[in-house]
Each structure stands twice: as structure tokens, then as C-alpha cells.
């Protein structure tokens, strides 16, 4: 959200974003809606499918507001660049990469949604001395004929990470919303059994028979 606010200082953008509750949701639907923004609920598969269709329709129209997409799909701590979603790179449209690097000299702009509401985060930023960041607009990129959408996404990710001096992380940013124990309890139990077997084996080697 903060990235979007900063980038709209350069130009109006439509954006793809999670629809939030409360006053943020009101601004999204009643104010930003006029720009052709696309909202979704990340927990609804049907929403994601509809957004993919609307993305294609949006970029195919010459009259549409430029579409701003955050391909990581989540907030990251300004040190890593996590896996890019390939949907934005499968549209047969030119991609204009933007690298944003925040300076923590006055305040850390990273929003940890697990620990803090957006309202509290915004208040922290607005009461700090300044939010300092470097924004770099990189040359436009198009998908090569022999390049898959995933390869295209990884190439653009490398350009952005290099410009912003971020470390590329090979994991999906959505993992922080994914409770493996709830979704796949069988996997957790399998790992527990494997750990117990290894522990028992090591103890048998350590404790000799007849030792007191």
C-alpha cells in the first residue's frame, strides 16, 4: 500500500490489490475504483481467476490507466526479493520494472501485518520525520519468443533485485499466510515420526547396553 502511495506521486496507476476491510476498503472501492483498480481476496480461488481475466482485458485496452502490479503478492522486509507470481508475465504485454528501496534512517516502512494493523503502521509512518526511499524506473522488458512466463518473471526479478540491492529468495511470499499444520496435518505428523525415529536411533548408539 505504501509503495502504491509513493508511485502515484509520479503518475496515476490502476493497481491489483487485496481488498481490505474498514476505512482502507472504503478508499479502495469509493476513491481508487475510478482508476480501474482490481481487487481480490487471496483466500478465494474464484477471485484470483476473475482477476486474471480482468488483467488481460485491462492491458489489452489502450485507454486503460497503466496497471501497477506487485508480483511478489505480499509485503517483504526490504532485504529480500521473493518469488514473483507469473500471472503478470503471461499477458503478452510489455513490463516496465520498478525497483523500490527504502532507507531505514528515520523509519522502517515494512508493514508486518501479523503484528500491526495498517492503521497503526500508517500512523507510525506519518509521525516519523520522513519516509525515505529510492525509486528506479528500469527499461521496459518484453518476453522473448523462446522464454516461458516463469523465466520472464525470474529475469525481471533479477533486474529489480540487482538495482535495489536485494537478495533473491526462492520461496513464495504467500507462505506467511499458509498454516501447514492446518492444511496438511499428515505432513507434520510424518515429520514428527521421522524425527522420533532418528532421535531413538541416536540414543541407542549413545547409550551402550549394560551402562548405568
Amino acid at each position: 500500500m505504501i509503495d502504491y502511495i509513493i508511485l502515484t506521486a509520479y503518475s496515476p496507476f490502476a493497481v491489483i490489490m487485496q481488498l481490505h476491510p474498514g476505512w482502507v476498503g472504503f478508499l479502495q472501492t469509493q476513491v481508487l475504483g475510478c482508476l480501474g483498480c482490481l481487487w481480490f481476496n487471496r483466500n478465494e480461488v474464484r477471485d484470483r481467476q476473475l482477476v486474471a481475466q480482468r488483467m488481460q482485458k485491462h492491458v489489452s485496452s489502450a485507454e486503460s490507466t497503466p496497471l501497477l502490479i506487485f508480483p511478489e503478492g505480499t509485503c517483504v522486509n526490504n532485504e529480500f526479493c521473493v518469488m514473483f507470481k507469473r500471472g503478470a508475465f503471461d499477458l503478452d504485454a510489455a513490463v516496465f520494472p520498478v525497483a523500490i528501496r527504502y532507507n531505514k534512517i528515520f523509519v522502517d516502512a515494512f508493514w508486518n501485518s501479523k503484528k500491526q494493523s495498517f492503521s497503526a503502521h500508517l500512523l507510525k509512518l506519518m509521525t516519523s520525520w520522513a519516509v525515505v526511499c529510492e525509486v528506479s524506473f528500469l527499461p521496459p522488458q518484453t518476453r522473448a519468443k523462446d522464454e516461458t512466463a516463469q523465466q520472464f518473471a525470474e529475469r525481471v526479478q533479477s533486474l529489480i533485485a540487482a538495482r535495489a540491492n536485494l537478495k533473491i529468495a526462492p520461496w513464495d511470499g504467500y507462505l506467511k499466510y499458509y498454516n501447514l499444520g492446518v492444511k496438511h496435518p499428515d505432513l507434520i505428523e510424518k515429520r514428527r515420526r521421522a524425527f522420533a525415529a532418528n532421535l531413538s536411533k541416536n540414543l541407542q548408539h549413545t547409550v551402550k547396553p549394560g551402562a548405568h
Side-chain angles (χ1 to χ4, degrees):
M1 194 74 171
I2 301 302
D3 293 348
Y4 177 70
I5 294 172
I6 288 173
L7 291 176
T8 51
Y10 294 88
S11 172
F13 288 101
V15 67
I16 299 175
M17 192 180 297
Q18 164 84 12
L19 184 60
H20 294 274
W23 67 269
V24 177
F26 177 82
L27 289 178
Q28 288 178 294
T29 56
Q30 303 301 317
V31 179
L32 299 179
C34 65
L35 296 174
C37 298
L38 309 179
W39 314 120
F40 69 94
N41 184 339
R42 61 168 46 93
N43 295 321
E44 295 290 338
V45 175
R46 185 171 177 272
D47 275 14
R48 297 199 295 267
Q49 294 172 343
L50 289 175
V51 167
Q53 297 171 5
R54 293 176 63 190
M55 282 171 55
Q56 185 65 66
K57 182 179 179 181
H58 189 104
V59 300
S60 300
S61 174
E63 298 180 356
S64 297
T65 308
L67 183 60
L68 185 63
I69 301 174
F70 297 99
E72 292 171 306
T74 187
C75 297
V76 187
N77 65 357
N78 201 39
E79 296 179 7
F80 294 92
C81 188
V82 298
M83 187 185 301
F84 279 15
K85 306 293 182 183
R86 72 175 194 178
F89 303 91
D90 203 17
L91 301 174
D92 293 325
V95 173
F96 292 75
V98 181
I100 303 177
R101 176 77 184 201
Y102 288 93
N103 189 319
K104 300 179 183 179
I105 185 172
F106 295 119
V107 66
D108 187 356
F110 170 59
W111 174 38
N112 187 338
S113 58
K114 294 285 188 179
K115 296 182 178 180
Q116 190 178 47
S117 68
F118 182 73
S119 297
H121 175 65
L122 187 61
L123 179 63
K124 182 185 73 172
L125 296 182
M126 293 180 69
T127 54
S128 67
W129 182 257
V131 176
V132 180
C133 71
E134 178 183 349
V135 180
S136 301
F137 293 90
L138 306 180
Q141 304 294 319
T142 55
R143 181 175 166 183
K145 291 182 179 180
D146 59 345
E147 194 173 38
T148 66
Q150 186 61 44
Q151 290 171 335
F152 185 25
E154 291 172 356
R155 177 162 62 86
V156 173
Q157 181 191 36
S158 297
L159 293 173
I160 292 175
R163 183 65 185 86
N165 194 27
L166 300 173
K167 300 174 184 177
I168 294 179
W171 60 74
D172 191 328
Y174 275 6
L175 287 176
K176 71 178 184 178
Y177 300 105
Y178 193 85
N179 190 325
L180 188 61
V182 173
K183 297 288 186 179
H184 298 285
D186 55 316
L187 294 179
I188 300 297
E189 185 59 31
K190 183 178 179 181
R191 293 304 304 161
R192 286 174 178 168
R193 288 197 299 267
F195 177 78
N198 288 332
L199 181 61
S200 177
K201 183 179 179 180
N202 290 333
L203 287 175
Q204 289 176 2
H205 284 293
T206 302
V207 181
K208 297 180 181 180
H212 296 283

